[in-house]
Amino acid sequence: MIIIPARLNSSRFENKILANIFGLPMVIRTAKQVASLDDVVIATDSKQVIELADSYNIKAVLTSTKHQSGTNRINEAVNILNLNDDEIIINVQADEPFIEPQVVQEVINTVKKYKNQDFTMVSCYKDINSEIADDPNHVKVICDKDNNAIYFSRAKIPYHRDHYVNSTYKGHLGIYGFTKKSLNYFCSLKPTILETTEKLEQLRAIFDNKKIYMVKVDSKSFGIDTKEDLNNALKIFGN
């Protein structure tokens, strides 16, 4: 099941999930973008979004207004839906209206591959250039030889001491795959100093010595965090 966490209020971009994306509210466009892959549910803290989803015949679940992360929000949703422990849960951010379905499918396939582990968490990255890596809104990840995440940061990692201009970085895409059991465990962990410093919830798993399997993907999509991001995306994908 694909679950889209959709918090209405955003400090950087008010009501961004309702922003118009070629005639559709952002959260609806995101849901329709991945609807061919599996059942889609929007997990939201807003009755307005519930009503909006209903008008487009998209299932939605009302969750608490107190969640500090999207993953905690979808965890509440999967428990409301009473899903089985081995159910595969895919977290697609509401601000990814241009995410390619094949990217999400690659995450799904990788979760299936590792779903019998005690803890299964999968995410993905794409190659980005040095200029994009300078932006703290574009999260970077470094991996070990088996493509397990070592660390995520808003800083430009790894730091190139010799300052290679043409260096390539791993740009994290905010798509996560879990089994329901693993999702429940992840959300039972308390936020750590790493998570609260970087404002990156996936560091909770790293701190707990859990593996996050990273899949390299080809994608032109990016999360829309600001109005500038929105304007850039409309120019890029409107052509």
Side-chain angles (χ1 to χ4, degrees):
M1 179 173 288
I2 298 169
I3 302 185
I4 300 172
R7 181 170 64 95
L8 186 57
N9 292 324
S10 173
S11 58
R12 286 179 289 182
F13 185 173
E14 186 176 1
N15 292 345
K16 74 173 181 177
I17 64 170
L18 302 181
N20 188 307
I21 307 289
F22 303 132
L24 288 174
M26 185 187 295
V27 64
I28 301 300
R29 168 71 188 243
T30 302
K32 287 183 174 291
Q33 192 78 349
V34 296
S36 64
L37 301 176
D38 208 331
D39 293 336
V40 176
V41 176
I42 295 172
T44 182
D45 60 354
S46 166
K47 290 183 179 179
Q48 180 182 351
V49 175
I50 293 283
E51 292 170 359
L52 179 67
D54 185 62
S55 72
Y56 285 94
N57 295 314
I58 297 171
K59 186 175 178 63
V61 173
L62 187 64
T63 57
S64 171
T65 59
K66 297 179 181 180
H67 292 304
Q68 297 299 309
S69 74
T71 306
N72 287 99
R73 188 174 307 285
I74 69 166
N75 187 57
E76 181 185 357
V78 301
N79 287 300
I80 290 172
L81 295 168
N82 198 29
L83 301 181
N84 295 327
D85 277 354
D86 61 353
E87 184 84 30
I88 291 175
I89 309 299
I90 305 297
N91 177 351
V92 175
Q93 305 298 318
D95 61 5
E96 287 273 5
F98 302 106
I99 192 65
E100 299 88 348
Q102 63 269 26
V103 169
V104 180
Q105 186 63 60
E106 289 186 52
V107 174
I108 293 171
N109 293 344
T110 307
V111 177
K112 289 179 178 179
K113 180 179 177 181
Y114 292 109
K115 68 176 293 185
N116 293 324
Q117 304 288 332
D118 289 338
F119 180 84
T120 304
M121 183 174 178
V122 175
S123 193
C124 57
Y125 68 89
K126 64 180 180 179
D127 287 339
I128 59 174
N129 62 34
S130 181
E131 183 179 0
I132 293 174
D134 282 330
D135 186 347
N137 289 322
H138 289 277
V139 176
K140 280 68 66 177
V141 59
I142 50 176
C143 301
D144 66 16
K145 66 182 180 66
D146 296 317
N147 245 24
N148 299 311
I150 296 173
Y151 193 69
F152 297 84
S153 183
R154 297 184 183 280
K156 198 173 185 180
I157 57 170
Y159 176 77
H160 286 276
R161 182 178 177 183
D162 294 324
H163 304 291
Y164 294 119
V165 175
N166 295 322
S167 299
T168 300
Y169 297 81
K170 293 179 173 64
H172 181 230
L173 298 178
I175 301 168
Y176 299 97
F178 300 85
T179 57
K180 184 205 171 190
K181 177 183 176 181
S182 298
L183 175 61
N184 284 169
Y185 177 80
F186 176 89
C187 291
S188 74
L189 300 172
K190 293 182 179 180
T192 69
I193 187 63
L194 295 179
E195 176 180 349
T196 54
T197 299
E198 294 260 19
K199 299 296 188 290
L200 296 174
E201 61 184 324
Q202 62 270 35
L203 291 172
R204 198 183 309 176
I206 299 290
F207 189 84
D208 197 55
N209 202 30
K210 295 294 185 292
K211 290 182 179 180
I212 304 176
Y213 301 95
M214 300 299 299
V215 183
K216 183 178 180 180
V217 298
D218 291 319
S219 174
K220 294 181 179 179
S221 179
F222 54 89
I224 296 174
D225 291 309
T226 65
K227 290 183 179 180
E228 183 181 11
D229 288 340
L230 176 60
N231 291 334
N232 289 338
L234 294 177
K235 290 177 183 177
I236 293 169
F237 295 101
N239 295 327

